[in-house]
Amino acid sequence: MAHPRVSIVGIGVSPGIAIGPAFVLEKTNYTAHRWEIPAGEVTRELRRFRAAVAASVSQLRTFKRRLARDLGPQHVYIMDAHLLMLKDRMLLDGVAKIVRSERVNAEWALQQVIAQFREAFESIEDAYLREKAGDMEDIGQRVLHNLVGATHEQVTQIPEGVIVLARDLSPSDTAQMRKEWVLGFAIDMGGKTSHTAIVARSLEIPAVVGLEDVTTRVANGDPLIIDGNTGQVYVHPDEETVRHYERLRRRYHRYDVELHKLRELPAETLDGYRVGLEANIELPEEIPSVLEHGAAGIGLYRTEFLYFNRTDMPTEEEHYGLYRHLIESIHPRPATIRTFDLGGDKFISQVPLAKEMNPALGLRAIRFCLREVTAFKTQIAGILRASAHGKLRVMFPMVSELTELRQAKEILGEVAGELDRRGEPFDRDLEVGVMIETPSAAIIADILAREADFFSIGTNDLIQYTLAIDRVNEHVAYLYRPLHPAVLRIIRETVRAAHTQGIPVAMCGEMAGEPIYTQLLIGMGIDSLSMNAVSLPRVKKIVRATRLADAQQLASAVGQFKTAWEVEEFVKGEMTRRFPDDITDDGRQICLI
Ligand code: PEP
Ligand code: MG
C-alpha cells in the first residue's frame, strides 16, 4: 500500500537539511492516580517526595556538567533555570500542602500543582513566558518519574542516523544529542526563542519546531525530510522530492563550507567599505555561537529574560555579573545593552500592572522604565559598573519623544553620581543610544540625534507602528512589509538625520539579518547590521561581493516605486540576478538554498 505523502510546515529554527528515517521519541508522560494515605504516613510520603526532588537535582547537575564540558560553560544557564525551578517554594510547599490537607499520594499532589502552573501560564500572551510552562511541565515529569522509579530519559536510546520526532524536547534532551548521530529533529511544540531552538542552533543540528501534530502523523522508520531553513517537513516524500532535497543538501553543505571560510574575514565591500556586522542575543548561552559566527560585537542584548520566571527583581549584582560576563567573554568586541523592554504583553509578575487593551501601545519599554525608576536604576547601575570591564554601550527601547531620552539620561547621570560616591569605577564616556522604533522618533530623528551618541533602528516595532500592523497577529502578517515605501522613507530619513549630526546608525530588527535586504541597507547608509548569529556569515557573503556604488544605485532605484509589491519584485529581481548563488529563484529563501 502506498503511504500518504504528507507535507507540513513548521518554524525552521536551526538551518540545514536532514533526510532519513524517523525516530519517534515517545516521552511517556506519566499520569498519576489519586489514593489516600493514612495520617501516620504523611511524613513518610513527604520524605519520598523530597527524595524524588533530590534525585532530579542530581540528574540535572550531571547534565549540567556534561553540557558545560561539551558546549562550554555559558550553556549551563539552561540547567540552572531548571534547577532553580526545583527550589521553587510554590512547587515544594504546594505539594506538601496538598499531601497534608488531602492526605493523598505525592504523585497526585505534584500533578495538581503542575496543572495549576500550566493554567496560570496558558493565559499569558507572551510566547517566551508560555514556553516556560513547558519547562515547568518537564521538571514536573522528571520528579514524577523519580517518584515512581521510572526513567525519564529516552534520548540515550536514539539509534544512529535518524531524525528525531517528539512532542517536545527539553533543553536537557537536546543537549545530549550530537550531530554525529542525530540527523535532525522536528517537534510539535516550541517557537524560535525556545531554549531548545537555541541549543539546536549551537549544536548545528537542523531543526524544525512548532509542527503541532507531527508526532501523530509519523511512525518509527517513516522516511522523512526536514528543512531547518524553511521549516518544511515531508513524510514519505516522492522520489523527485528526495532527489531535489539531496541536491539542496549537497549545495547547502558546499555553501556552508564556504560560509565557514568567511568567519574571520572582514565585512568589507569589494571597494573597501566596512559594514559592522553584529549579533543579537537574548541569553548568555548564545555567546559561543556569536563568536563562532564571526560577529564584530553584540549589537543588541535583549535583557528581558533576566526578569522572567522569578518572583523577585534582579539585583544590581546580578545585572553587573551578567553584563560583565558578557563583555569579558566577547573581549575585545563591544556590546550594546538594551535596557529592559518589559510591559505591554511582556509582563512580569513582580510588578502588578493593569491589563491593557492595546499592550503594544501601552506602558512598555522606556515608558515602563521611567515609571518603575528603582528597577531601571538597578539595571543602569549594573550596566555602568560592567562598562569598566570592556566596551559597553547602552540604548533605550521605544523612545517616542525627546523628553523620554532626557529623563533616561538624567537617571543615568544620577546613578553615575551614586557610583562615584561608592567609589565604583565605570566608563565615563559610556555611549547612549536611542532605538528608532516608533514613527515619531524617526520623524524627530534630527532632534534626537543632537542628544544621542547613536541610533539603532528596531524594524520589528518600527514596521509594526508605521504600517499599523500588530506584529504578533498572524491575520495581518501578510501586511508586514519591510519594503513598503513608507518604511523605506522613514529609514532613509533616520539615516540622513543621524549622519547630518555625525552619529552612526545601526539596524537590529529582523530585517537586518535577511541577505536579500543587505545591499539595499548598505546603499541607504546603514552603518552596522545586528542579527541572529547564524545569519552573520550569510549577510557577510553578500557584503563582500558588493560594490558600494551598486548598493547605492539599488537604494536610489527603489525610490521610484509606489507600492510595496513593486519594490519587492524589483529587489528580488535585482538580488537574484546579482547573487544567483546566494539568493534562490523565488528570492524569498535568501541565501539558505
Ligand atoms: C525591534 O523592534 O526591531 C527590536 C529589535 O526589538 P524587539 O524585537 O525586541 O522588540
Ligand atoms: Mg522593539
Side-chain angles (χ1 to χ4, degrees):
M1 194 184 79
H3 288 282
R5 298 199 171 106
V6 184
S7 134
I8 321 168
V9 184
I11 308 166
V13 292
S14 180
I17 286 157
I19 306 173
F23 180 80
V24 185
L25 189 69
E26 289 196 41
K27 261 224 136 118
T28 40
N29 258 359
Y30 181 82
T31 311
H33 296 285
R34 181 182 197 276
W35 67 83
E36 290 185 7
I37 50 171
E41 294 281 304
V42 166
T43 314
R44 211 171 74 183
E45 192 63 7
L46 290 176
R47 206 177 307 131
R48 202 166 69 84
F49 173 62
R50 281 195 297 272
V53 171
S56 307
V57 169
S58 131
Q59 288 157 358
L60 288 175
R61 287 212 176 116
T62 308
F63 291 140
K64 183 175 156 176
R65 272 196 300 277
R66 204 178 296 166
L67 205 56
R69 188 192 62 209
D70 293 352
L71 288 180
Q74 292 82 352
H75 286 268
V76 302
Y77 260 93
I78 301 168
M79 291 298 125
D80 282 339
H82 277 206
L83 282 164
L84 263 181
M85 285 183 202
L86 280 173
K87 284 197 199 144
D88 193 312
R89 296 271 23 128
M90 287 209 296
L91 175 75
L92 304 179
D93 297 348
V95 172
K97 200 169 143 210
I98 295 178
V99 171
R100 277 203 191 93
S101 63
E102 296 182 30
R103 284 204 204 125
V104 284
N105 56 322
E107 289 89 342
W108 176 258
L110 175 60
Q111 193 165 284
Q112 301 310 301
V113 174
I114 296 294
Q116 287 163 9
F117 272 110
R118 189 188 316 123
E119 257 172 49
F121 274 113
E122 269 168 5
S123 57
I124 296 172
E125 277 174 35
D126 184 67
Y128 182 89
L129 283 178
R130 269 203 316 272
E131 275 160 17
K132 296 276 126 210
D135 287 351
M136 191 45 114
E137 200 91 32
D138 190 55
I139 287 295
Q141 278 296 328
R142 178 173 297 284
V143 180
L144 265 179
H145 278 78
N146 280 318
L147 267 173
V148 297
T151 168
H152 187 52
E153 260 62 59
Q154 266 108 7
V155 176
T156 44
Q157 299 156 14
I158 299 174
E160 219 166 284
V162 293
I163 298 174
V164 177
L165 268 83
R167 276 276 316 130
D168 197 6
L169 282 174
S170 67
S172 56
D173 291 335
T174 320
Q176 293 178 74
M177 297 190 189
R178 288 295 167 270
K179 66 176 173 195
E180 289 71 33
W181 48 281
V182 171
L183 300 176
F185 64 79
I187 60 177
D188 290 345
M189 322 267 287
K192 261 203 161 83
T193 57
S194 63
H195 278 137
T196 307
I198 292 165
V199 176
R201 280 198 289 273
S202 3
L203 291 169
E204 298 186 42
I205 297 178
V208 178
V209 304
L211 285 156
E212 291 181 6
D213 60 353
V214 72
T215 42
T216 62
R217 298 162 76 168
V218 178
N220 261 343
D222 277 355
L224 219 62
I225 297 176
I226 70 162
D227 183 340
N229 310 320
T230 60
Q232 186 76 52
V233 172
Y234 294 96
V235 189
H236 289 288
D238 57 31
E239 274 175 34
E240 201 184 315
T241 312
V242 174
R243 271 199 303 276
H244 172 68
Y245 274 90
E246 273 170 351
R247 265 197 311 275
L248 281 186
R249 187 173 58 178
R250 279 195 298 275
R251 222 174 131 190
Y252 180 79
H253 183 70
R254 277 199 306 274
Y255 196 80
D256 214 34
V257 169
E258 247 187 87
L259 289 178
H260 262 76
K261 293 187 205 148
L262 295 179
R263 288 182 184 180
E264 301 305 319
L265 298 175
E268 203 171 82
T269 60
L270 292 167
D271 39 359
Y273 173 77
R274 275 275 176 137
V275 183
L277 292 191
E278 300 190 312
N280 293 351
I281 65 164
E282 297 187 20
L283 300 165
E285 58 256 36
E286 292 174 89
I287 296 172
S289 170
V290 166
L291 296 176
E292 205 183 305
H293 288 93
I298 288 174
L300 166 66
Y301 179 22
R302 293 179 164 106
T303 53
E304 295 81 63
F305 105 95
L306 245 172
Y307 295 81
F308 294 146
N309 213 358
R310 56 191 294 165
T311 48
D312 56 346
M313 286 297 246
T315 60
E316 180 187 314
E317 282 310 309
E318 267 179 81
H319 282 291
Y320 167 60
L322 196 63
Y323 308 145
R324 179 175 173 176
H325 164 70
L326 170 82
I327 200 66
E328 287 181 343
S329 342
I330 62 162
H331 178 83
R333 300 167 188 81
T336 304
I337 299 184
R338 168 176 80 185
T339 55
F340 61 87
D341 184 356
L342 293 170
D345 59 349
K346 283 186 214 157
F347 91 101
I348 45 169
S349 55
Q350 299 92 314
V351 187
L353 285 174
K355 193 155 172 58
E356 298 184 314
M357 282 286 285
N358 290 306
L361 304 180
L363 190 66
R364 58 171 284 209
I366 192 67
R367 304 168 181 182
F368 181 76
C369 291
L370 293 175
R371 201 179 100 155
E372 295 296 326
V373 177
T374 311
F376 190 42
K377 281 187 164 175
T378 307
Q379 182 178 34
I380 298 275
I383 296 173
L384 274 171
R385 283 175 59 197
S387 72
H389 302 277
K391 179 82 187 115
L392 273 191
R393 310 197 298 177
V394 66
M395 64 183 179
F396 306 123
M398 238 195 100
V399 168
S400 59
E401 59 155 331
L402 180 62
T403 314
E404 287 169 334
L405 172 61
R406 286 189 173 157
Q407 283 173 353
K409 284 175 75 172
E410 204 177 302
I411 290 173
L412 193 125
E414 283 168 27
V415 177
E418 174 61 26
L419 292 182
D420 257 342
R421 279 190 289 282
R422 278 163 43 189
E424 302 276 6
F426 60 89
D427 175 6
R428 286 170 193 282
D429 299 316
L430 179 83
E431 288 182 18
V432 177
V434 171
M435 284 188 80
I436 303 292
E437 301 192 281
T438 61
S440 59
I443 293 165
I444 58 161
D446 57 328
I447 298 172
L448 292 169
R450 289 193 184 90
E451 301 187 26
D453 297 312
F454 65 94
F455 283 163
S456 187
I457 304 179
T459 47
N460 305 341
D461 277 316
L462 184 62
I463 296 171
Q464 148 164 280
Y465 297 124
T466 305
L467 304 182
I469 294 155
D470 182 352
R471 68 192 254 195
V472 294
N473 181 343
E474 67 274 20
H475 303 300
V476 289
Y478 72 100
L479 291 170
Y480 198 87
R481 317 278 280 271
L483 296 184
H484 189 295
V487 175
L488 297 180
R489 279 191 194 180
I490 229 168
I491 295 174
R492 204 187 292 277
E493 281 310 302
T494 303
V495 173
R496 205 174 52 83
H499 287 175
T500 307
Q501 281 306 317
I503 66 166
V505 193
M507 179 177 282
C508 63
E510 289 306 301
M511 187 179 185
E514 306 238 7
I516 196 161
Y517 305 134
T518 306
Q519 272 215 338
L520 181 64
L521 296 174
I522 295 175
M524 289 172 97
I526 301 280
D527 301 292
S528 60
L529 301 166
S530 191
M531 64 201 74
N532 68 69
V534 183
S535 301
L536 281 162
R538 305 172 201 284
V539 170
K540 192 189 276 185
K541 189 158 186 296
I542 304 285
V543 173
R544 291 181 55 84
T546 289
R547 213 172 287 281
L548 183 59
D550 292 339
Q552 286 166 339
Q553 178 261 330
L554 184 73
S556 103
V558 295
Q560 64 183 298
F561 301 109
K562 296 185 181 66
T563 67
W565 184 82
E566 284 168 2
V567 184
E568 284 160 9
E569 285 304 296
F570 176 73
V571 171
K572 208 157 53 179
E574 282 299 303
M575 291 301 281
T576 37
R577 189 176 61 76
R578 295 179 188 195
F579 301 95
D581 294 338
D582 306 283
I583 313 276
T584 48
D585 299 341
D586 64 359
R588 193 183 58 83
Q589 198 46 60
I590 7 132
C591 275
L592 295 174
I593 15 188

